[in-house]
Each structure stands twice: as structure tokens, then as C-alpha cells.
Amino acid sequence: AAPVAATPMPPRAAPAAIRKPLASAISDEVLDKPAPRTTSLTGNTDSIMTELQSMRDLIENQLGTYAWLGQTRRCPIQTQQMLGLMRAGYSPSLAKTLLKRRPEELDAAESAQWMQQELRDSIRTDADRMELHQEGGTYVLVGATGVGKTTTAAKLAGLCAQQHGTASIGLVTLDTQRMGGHDPLREHSRSLGIVAHVAHDRAALQDLLGMLANKKLVLIDTVGLAPRDPGKADALDILNLPGLTRLMVLNAGAHGDMLDEVVGAFKTIGVQQAVLSKIDEAVKLGPVLDVVIRHQLLLRGVTTGPKVPQDWARADAQTLVAQSMQSPAKSAFDPKTTDLAYYFLPASAGSSAAQNAHA
């Protein structure tokens, strides 16, 4: 008989123990693919430099943490004061500079008194001169939108009118861009018995200033501008006239970064005079006082409410510092003791550390 051909047997499946998991198989396929070639040597050099900079920032981060933790063990009073300043809203840079000058022999109570005295001495006020509405002059109120420039002008006008009469006041508004922007000042001036004038351009402003030259106090209200507004330079160029003093109005309840940007955008050369508005609405006064100290602004007064002209007070450093250190209830933004080392790092190291932690 003819031999029967052997039927080929199907290959046996691999045992379950030898099979690779699906995730492992996918990983092997990825590893088997050829690696992409580098395009140029410059790209490799930049990558190496970036890695070296990241390693350097990480080392500086660790060294700064160890140094600060060691100092907190040696001087717990300084740590508590740092926490107090940070919770009050003061910046790490100002707190660090302040506590570097602290005498080591002071106890907790003496150290707290010393710190508040240093803050008071760092705030410039008009305590050695007459108040703004008594001193007189020509002032143009500048600042961001909604900080209370119009209300501040109405309060100063009302205070001057109470002492020197309505004939001693001159009011001008440049807020002609917004629909009805000049109406609030006109309403306030009408209630005080004062005429408010409108200037549409630089020539009209010069004519009005010549007409109001015999007034004791002339107040010029301006439209609110964002610090990065493209038209800010043109709007401020109208105010570059002889005899005008810029009076910056700062919202006491604004964020510290916003305040810092506003001061940088509107600050003039020389002594910059300022008014703190909406003190009654501020949760923490530390951020605005921090900006006042770092930029060396001259405080001419504070507004404590919406009433015209009652809610106005002279800038008193002792009162402002005492209010700023009355920290409210703890919030999610309060720093912890273990976070203090981060605030003592350079800006580049801090950003790199944050990126590494995020990654």
C-alpha cells in the first residue's frame, strides 16, 4: 500500500507562563523602533546646558532648604516672625531684608515691637507737612480702572471747600472715552456747589489750567488705564505739563503683583505721591504697604469708605502697620513652616524647582 502523507500539525500555543503581558509587548515594540537621529550638535548642546542648569537649581534648592531649616532650629523667633509677615501679606523679599537686620538678643515680645517699628519707619507719610487739601496745588489723579480716583477727587474737593470755600476749588475731568465717564465727577461737584470742567485734549487742558490758575486746589480726574494698555503712553503724555503733580491712587485690596505693576506703569521720576483707597474693603493691608515701602511712595492720605468727604483720613504709619499685622483667619494661601525655604531661593531657582515638582 502507498504510504500515507503525514498531516502537518498546527503549532502549539506557548504556555500561559511564557506569554508576555500586553503592556510588555507594546513596550518591546516601542523599544525595537530605531531612535530618532539628532538634527544638529547645537540641539544636543542646548539640551545638556538645560539639564546642567536644572541640576544646579535643584542643588541650590536643597542647600537653601537645609540652611533655612538649620536657622529655624537655631532661631525659632525669626521663623514665627517670618510666618507673621507672610500671613499679613508682605512679600518674602521684604520680610527677608527686614529680618536680616533683627538683633539676635531680642526676645519674642521685643522682637515683635522692633519689627513693627521698622515697618513704621519705612513708610513715608506727610506727617511733617500740611495735609494735601490744606497745602493746595495742582494734582492729576492717575491709576488703574475702578480704584476710586473720582471719589478721591470729590473728597479732597469737599475737604478744601469746607475750610477755604467753594471758590478755592477747580475740578477738571479727562474721562471722555467712556460713555458718561465724566458724569460721576459732575454729580459730586454739583452737590458741593462746584463747577466741573471737561478737557478733551492737551490744548483744552492747558486753557483750563490757565483759567483756574488762581485756585488754591486744582484736581484733574483721568480715565482708568490698565498698566499694559497700548494707549497708556499717549494718555499720560497729555499730563506732561509744568506745574502738574501726579497723585497715584492705589486700591488697598488689590493683589500685590497687580499693585507692583501699576506703580511701575504710573510712577514718575522723583518722589511719587500716593493715596490708598478702599481701606475698608481690604482683607490684608500687607501687600499695599509692601509696595509702598519697596517703591518709597509718599502717602498723602487714605480713604476709608464711600462717603464724601467724610471717609478720608491722614496717612498714619503706626495705624496702618497695626492694622496690617492683625492677620485674619487662616486661609489656603497661608505659608507653612516647611515652605519657608522656598521663599528664600532666587527667582530662577524657585521657578525651576516648581517646574521639577510639577513634572
Side-chain angles (χ1 to χ4, degrees):
V4 180
T7 304
M9 297 294 294
R12 294 185 180 182
I18 304 178
R19 291 179 184 175
K20 292 183 178 181
L22 181 61
S24 178
I26 296 175
S27 301
D28 291 344
E29 291 179 3
V30 173
L31 291 176
D32 290 338
K33 290 183 179 180
R37 296 181 179 180
T38 56
T39 57
S40 64
L41 185 60
T42 306
N44 289 339
T45 305
D46 294 340
S47 178
I48 293 173
M49 294 302 296
T50 303
E51 292 295 331
L52 290 176
Q53 184 63 38
S54 300
M55 292 176 61
R56 178 181 177 180
D57 294 341
L58 183 60
I59 294 173
E60 289 180 355
N61 184 8
Q62 295 296 329
L63 293 178
T65 302
Y66 295 148
W68 174 249
L69 292 177
Q71 188 165 350
T72 55
R73 296 189 187 98
R74 294 191 304 268
C75 188
I77 296 177
Q78 183 174 355
T79 305
Q80 294 302 319
Q81 285 188 335
M82 173 63 70
L83 285 172
L85 289 172
M86 302 281 290
R87 285 170 178 161
Y90 291 93
S91 65
S93 59
L94 186 140
K96 179 181 178 180
T97 304
L98 177 65
L99 293 179
K100 274 185 176 180
R101 304 199 303 260
R102 172 187 169 275
E104 297 181 358
E105 64 274 8
L106 300 180
D107 58 15
E110 295 173 345
S111 184
Q113 295 178 359
W114 173 88
M115 182 180 62
Q116 293 197 22
Q117 184 62 45
E118 286 291 314
L119 290 173
R120 289 193 293 266
D121 294 341
S122 302
I123 298 176
R124 303 176 61 185
T125 64
D126 60 350
D128 56 345
R129 56 195 293 183
M130 291 189 297
E131 290 192 63
L132 192 149
H133 59 275
Q134 296 176 346
E135 183 180 83
T138 304
Y139 295 90
V140 52
L141 284 72
V142 297
T145 305
V147 297
K149 297 184 297 297
T150 303
T151 307
T152 301
K155 291 178 181 180
L156 291 172
L159 292 173
C160 187
Q162 289 178 355
Q163 297 185 3
H164 305 284
T166 56
S168 63
I169 303 297
L171 287 177
V172 180
T173 177
L174 294 173
D175 192 356
T176 59
Q177 299 180 6
R178 299 180 304 165
M179 182 176 295
H182 55 274
D183 292 340
L185 186 64
R186 282 186 166 178
E187 291 295 329
H188 287 301
S189 63
R190 189 178 295 112
S191 64
L192 296 173
I194 305 171
V195 177
H197 305 275
V198 180
H200 295 273
D201 52 20
R202 185 190 184 97
L205 179 60
Q206 287 179 317
D207 294 340
L208 287 174
L209 291 178
M211 184 180 66
L212 302 173
N214 61 339
K215 302 292 185 180
K216 181 177 181 60
L217 181 64
V218 178
L219 299 170
I220 304 172
D221 187 23
T222 61
V223 63
L225 296 171
R228 286 168 283 181
D229 191 334
K232 177 177 66 66
D234 296 336
L236 295 180
D237 184 64
I238 302 176
L239 308 176
N240 292 330
L241 296 174
L244 289 184
T245 302
R246 289 192 190 183
L247 185 64
M248 189 184 303
V249 182
L250 297 175
N251 182 4
H255 191 273
D257 290 339
M258 179 63 183
L259 292 169
D260 199 69
E261 190 173 9
V262 168
V263 173
F266 294 100
K267 187 178 181 180
T268 57
I269 300 175
V271 179
Q272 175 62 64
Q273 304 184 36
V275 171
L276 303 185
S277 65
K278 303 183 180 183
I279 292 287
D280 56 316
E281 300 178 10
V283 178
K284 295 181 180 181
L285 290 180
V288 69
L289 295 183
D290 182 275
V291 171
V292 168
I293 293 173
R294 286 188 293 104
H295 290 275
Q296 287 296 287
L297 305 181
L298 176 62
L299 293 184
R300 301 303 307 269
V302 297
T303 65
T304 57
K307 296 181 181 179
V308 177
Q310 294 86 354
D311 293 336
W312 171 271
R314 193 165 192 172
D316 181 70
Q318 183 174 0
T319 302
L320 292 173
V321 171
Q323 291 179 357
S324 70
M325 297 308 296
Q326 295 173 358
S327 57
K330 291 184 179 181
S331 68
F333 302 99
D334 287 341
K336 301 179 178 60
T337 307
T338 54
D339 298 335
L340 290 180
Y342 177 79
Y343 294 104
F344 284 88
L345 297 175
S348 59
S351 60
S352 298
Q355 293 175 0
N356 294 334
H358 179 72

